[in-house]
Amino acid sequence: MERDEALASQRHSFMVMNIARALDGTIAKSEYILARYVISTDKNVGRLYQSEWRKAGQQLELLARQTRDSPRQTALVAQLHDAYMERGRELDDIALRTSYDQKMGALARFHQAGKAESLSRITSLLSQVIKVEEVVLEKRSAAVSASETRSENLSSTYRIFGLIILVGALGMGWAANAAISDRRNARRLAEAESLRAADLEDAVTERTHELEIANESLRREAAERAQAEESLRQMQKMEAVGQLTGGIAHDFNNMLAVVVGGLELARRKMHQDPAHAERHIANAMEGANRASALTRRLLAFARSEPLLPDTLDPDVLINGMTDLIDRTIGDQIRVETIQESNGWKIWVDRHQLENAMLNLAVNARDAMDGKGTLTITTRQVQLAAQEIGECVAGDYVVIGVRDTGCGMPPDVLTRAFEPFFTTKPVGKGTGLGLSQIFGFVGQCRGEIHIESEVGKGTEVSLYLPRYQVDSEQSVLPATSKATDETLPHAVGIEILVVEDDPRVLSATFDALVELGHHPVACDHPSKAAQILAHHDKIGLIISDVLMPDMTGPEMIAMLRHSHPHIPVLFVTGFAGDVEDAAMFAGYEVLRKPYTILTLSTAIANAMGHGQAAPASESHHGQTAAVTS
């Protein structure tokens, strides 16, 4: 009985190892078939993948039944089941994207899945199951050998007893003979099991060879797929560059025509009709402001415009924008608000968020052809990891804009975030609205989601991370913006101007003189320390952000050791290399292009706040602009 139990345990270990190796092969085969399906998009190949993946699940259930008497193996199989389910979700997402003709997305997901943790976990857990069973098998094989040894010793004892008892009892001799026969039967059984083990080892070797061939084929197909992906990426880059170049050239040429024409007419009318010349100058300023707005949209889409975030209550912000939205979209559209954020705050750039809401309202107005209902909602939501796009797990405030317009068909919906893509007539839109919002939400570590149905309307939802505000902190309401009248306007300040562009340096110098200050020019950040050493009355540093050899924040960090109390005003038009808002923490920031009025306001803020206040958004003035 002991020998039979040992042999049965040995067979059970071989069976567990065989099931584990077969499961590994089935998973590899199903992923190989999925790769073929992603490349070929053949539905029959997709169904074959589903069949193989279900087969792997059945093998996993069989493995669980065979190992339920081992606590250690049961724990490993439970982890293996979790990894299998996680891997199944990843592969099903790839198959689903392929079924909906999202081949590029499916290829990208498959490439990511090849490096996913779930795949390495499955391989690791299967190896652990096999290793554990090999250890058990070694012990059980030793138990078989020990049982045979004990059986042989017992047979020898029987023979000795038989010889002793043979003299007096023939019956004892018969018993000894029976014992010998039992031993021979046991040996034959052991030899038969040994042959079965050898056959099993051959089968495992053959299966391993098949898996190696399948893996090699999968590697070749992966290399071909990578090459195809690279070719597609290059084609998409060229297409995007062509589309972007054409859109920028069209819009900027229109705006430059307004600026150049307005200035030319103003020069002709300057002495004959000053009032008429003033109107042309105002038109030129409007064209320059439109060019500045286009630049901001491009930077937002590229995630290169620096954010100046603050703690905001979304309900307060939307209440403050209701009148502006009403005036923008017209009287025939009814605006409804549903506010359920219940005090949750967000950490965003107020100007960017207001611009995004206004863009969404204008898009909704155009979709409804000027008549319908616009609903703006706020609500709280808790998301799991990647439940919406690439969002991490946590609390989010959702700002939704829903219209009752015409909706978008699937082909338009898939291209909604492309720059310069628009379904509006020529001259009615640049196609940068949603792409700008996409860039802004990405900078805020959030996500944008669109739901649309033709004939029923569209809802755009902005998922913005919740900002946890300490009990000691206070948040200013949306209507508490400082005005020019409340800001201190100091004059007669000796100001160091650090700017590498001579034209901008000259324009800034003249603007400061116009405001009654005493500017000191510095055309390279490396000269700032020497100039400060010879001008001990400098009360403010105005510095560009991106300059040769050294950025503005780097220069200020170096000067802080020797001049810790001089206020700083940063001026920026593009901050692609220093887009982290922490680089500007504690300093006023002025965006290019700016007017003399906004320059005066920014100087007053910098002198009043010193290093105590974060950078604030500049206001648009109506005087001459200083541009980069």
Side-chain angles (χ1 to χ4, degrees):
M1 290 174 62
E2 180 179 348
R3 182 195 64 239
D4 292 341
E5 291 176 357
L7 291 173
S9 299
Q10 189 181 49
R11 288 194 298 272
H12 180 268
S13 294
F14 279 119
M15 182 180 297
V16 170
M17 292 168 62
N18 189 33
I19 293 172
R21 290 190 174 97
L23 174 58
D24 188 16
T26 303
I27 291 176
K29 184 177 180 181
S30 63
E31 293 198 13
Y32 163 70
I33 294 173
L34 178 59
R36 288 176 50 200
Y37 177 46
V38 171
I39 295 173
S40 66
T41 67
D42 187 349
K43 301 297 184 180
N44 293 327
V45 177
R47 287 190 288 271
L48 182 58
Y49 151 72
Q50 293 290 345
S51 176
E52 286 297 323
W53 191 253
R54 285 194 296 270
K55 180 180 177 182
Q58 295 170 357
Q59 291 173 340
L60 181 59
E61 293 176 358
L62 178 60
L63 182 62
R65 290 196 300 271
Q66 293 297 327
T67 57
R68 61 177 177 269
D69 58 341
S70 172
R72 184 176 179 185
Q73 291 285 55
T74 300
L76 289 174
V77 172
Q79 296 179 32
L80 181 60
H81 180 269
D82 294 341
Y84 168 82
M85 296 301 294
E86 181 180 355
R87 187 64 176 174
R89 288 190 293 271
E90 295 173 356
L91 298 183
D92 286 345
D93 180 62
I94 296 170
L96 186 61
R97 288 173 180 271
T98 305
S99 299
Y100 285 94
D101 293 331
Q102 298 180 7
K103 189 171 183 179
M104 293 308 304
L107 286 173
R109 287 289 187 180
F110 190 83
H111 179 69
Q112 295 175 0
K115 303 176 181 179
E117 183 183 0
S118 59
L119 179 59
S120 58
R121 283 185 59 202
I122 290 175
T123 303
S124 175
L125 289 170
L126 283 174
S127 299
Q128 293 181 49
V129 169
I130 293 173
K131 287 180 180 179
V132 169
E133 204 60 38
E134 285 176 346
V135 173
V136 174
L137 176 61
E138 183 177 354
K139 293 179 180 180
R140 290 174 175 174
S141 298
V144 172
S145 300
S147 65
E148 288 182 352
T149 301
R150 286 193 293 273
S151 178
E152 289 178 356
N153 293 337
L154 185 59
S155 298
S156 299
T157 302
Y158 282 168
R159 284 198 298 271
I160 295 172
F161 258 124
L163 292 173
I164 297 174
I165 298 174
L166 185 59
V167 178
L170 294 176
M172 294 299 293
W174 178 83
N177 185 56
I180 293 172
S181 298
D182 289 343
R183 186 194 67 182
R184 290 173 179 171
N185 291 334
R187 184 173 298 170
R188 284 195 297 269
L189 289 174
E191 290 175 353
E193 291 300 330
S194 178
L195 291 174
R196 289 182 61 186
D199 293 340
L200 181 60
E201 184 67 25
D202 292 341
V204 170
T205 301
E206 182 180 356
R207 183 58 178 166
T208 302
H209 180 65
E210 293 177 357
L211 289 175
E212 290 175 351
I213 295 175
N215 287 336
E216 181 62 28
S217 176
L218 186 58
R219 281 193 292 269
R220 287 196 301 270
E221 292 193 6
E224 295 173 357
R225 182 194 63 200
Q227 185 177 3
E229 288 178 354
E230 183 62 25
S231 299
L232 287 174
R233 278 195 296 269
Q234 292 299 328
M235 294 172 60
Q236 289 173 343
K237 287 179 182 178
M238 295 305 296
E239 181 181 358
V241 167
Q243 190 176 25
L244 186 64
T245 304
I248 293 175
H250 176 268
D251 282 2
F252 265 98
N253 284 336
N254 288 341
M255 297 167 192
L256 289 176
V258 174
V259 174
V260 174
L263 293 177
E264 179 69 19
L265 291 172
R267 185 173 63 180
R268 291 175 177 267
K269 299 291 184 179
M270 183 66 69
H271 301 292
Q272 302 174 3
D273 188 354
H276 197 184
E278 181 66 25
R279 287 197 298 272
H280 290 306
I281 293 176
N283 289 337
M285 281 296 300
E286 175 64 22
N289 288 333
R290 289 181 60 198
S292 174
L294 177 60
T295 303
R296 291 179 185 276
R297 291 183 178 183
L298 290 171
L299 290 175
F301 178 75
R303 301 187 181 184
S304 297
E305 183 178 11
L307 291 180
L308 303 176
D310 196 4
T311 306
L312 297 180
D313 186 326
D315 291 343
V316 174
L317 181 136
I318 290 173
N319 286 335
M321 291 187 65
T322 303
D323 292 340
L324 175 61
I325 293 174
D326 282 337
R327 290 195 300 272
T328 302
I329 64 179
D331 297 334
Q332 291 187 326
I333 296 180
R334 186 173 71 256
V335 179
E336 298 179 352
T337 59
I338 303 174
Q339 299 176 345
E340 298 178 351
S341 65
N342 298 328
W344 280 18
K345 305 297 190 299
I346 53 178
W347 179 253
V348 297
D349 186 315
R350 177 189 299 276
H351 172 77
Q352 295 279 16
L353 182 55
E354 289 175 345
N355 191 35
M357 297 300 298
L358 199 58
N359 269 327
L360 292 177
V362 171
N363 286 346
R365 177 200 65 190
D366 295 341
M368 294 184 290
D369 199 17
K371 183 181 297 183
T373 301
L374 176 68
T375 305
I376 303 176
T377 62
T378 62
R379 68 180 190 274
Q380 304 173 354
V381 67
Q382 291 182 330
L383 299 181
Q386 297 183 347
E387 181 178 346
I388 298 293
E390 301 297 328
C391 286
V392 299
D395 295 338
Y396 289 80
V397 174
V398 183
I399 302 178
V401 178
R402 184 171 67 250
D403 62 62
T404 57
C406 58
M408 290 185 284
D411 59 330
V412 174
L413 187 60
T414 57
R415 302 185 62 189
F417 299 121
E418 291 186 15
F420 296 106
F421 172 76
T422 179
T423 57
K424 298 178 182 179
V426 177
K428 297 296 184 179
T430 62
L432 283 174
L434 283 177
S435 63
Q436 173 196 13
I437 299 172
F438 176 81
F440 160 67
V441 173
Q443 283 181 295
C444 297
R445 302 184 184 277
E447 192 65 61
I448 181 171
H449 180 68
I450 302 180
E451 293 183 357
S452 184
E453 186 174 350
V454 176
K456 294 187 178 180
T458 301
E459 180 173 9
V460 181
S461 300
L462 308 182
Y463 289 80
L464 300 173
R466 178 190 180 188
Y467 180 68
Q468 302 288 351
V469 183
D470 297 335
S471 59
E472 297 180 356
Q473 292 179 323
S474 61
V475 180
L476 293 175
T479 57
S480 62
K481 291 183 179 179
T483 63
D484 295 336
E485 290 76 7
T486 62
L487 292 173
H489 291 273
V491 295
I493 304 171
E494 190 167 347
I495 301 174
L496 175 63
V497 183
V498 185
E499 171 62 62
D500 63 296
D501 191 320
R503 293 167 300 179
V504 179
L505 180 60
S506 176
T508 305
F509 195 97
D510 294 341
L512 292 174
V513 171
E514 180 72 18
L515 291 173
H517 300 296
H518 308 294
V520 178
C522 177
D523 60 3
H524 196 280
S526 63
K527 301 178 182 180
Q530 183 178 3
I531 295 176
L532 285 172
H534 291 84
H535 293 77
D536 56 357
K537 294 184 179 180
I538 287 179
L540 175 66
I541 299 175
I542 297 180
S543 173
D544 193 12
V545 174
L546 295 181
M547 294 180 289
D549 304 324
M550 185 186 304
T551 67
E554 291 173 346
M555 178 194 71
I556 296 301
M558 181 182 67
L559 296 176
R560 274 300 137 215
H561 300 289
S562 56
H563 302 83
H565 303 299
I566 300 179
V568 177
L569 170 61
F570 283 117
V571 181
T572 178
F574 175 76
D577 296 330
V578 287
E579 62 182 3
D580 187 359
M583 298 289 290
F584 306 110
Y587 301 110
E588 189 75 10
V589 178
L590 179 63
R591 287 172 173 156
K592 299 176 185 177
Y594 53 84
T595 64
I596 293 179
L597 176 60
T598 55
L599 176 62
S600 175
T601 302
I603 292 174
N605 286 338
M607 295 300 296
H609 296 169
Q611 298 184 39
S616 63
E617 176 64 59
S618 303
H619 304 286
H620 290 291
Q622 297 179 358
T623 59
V626 181
T627 63
S628 173

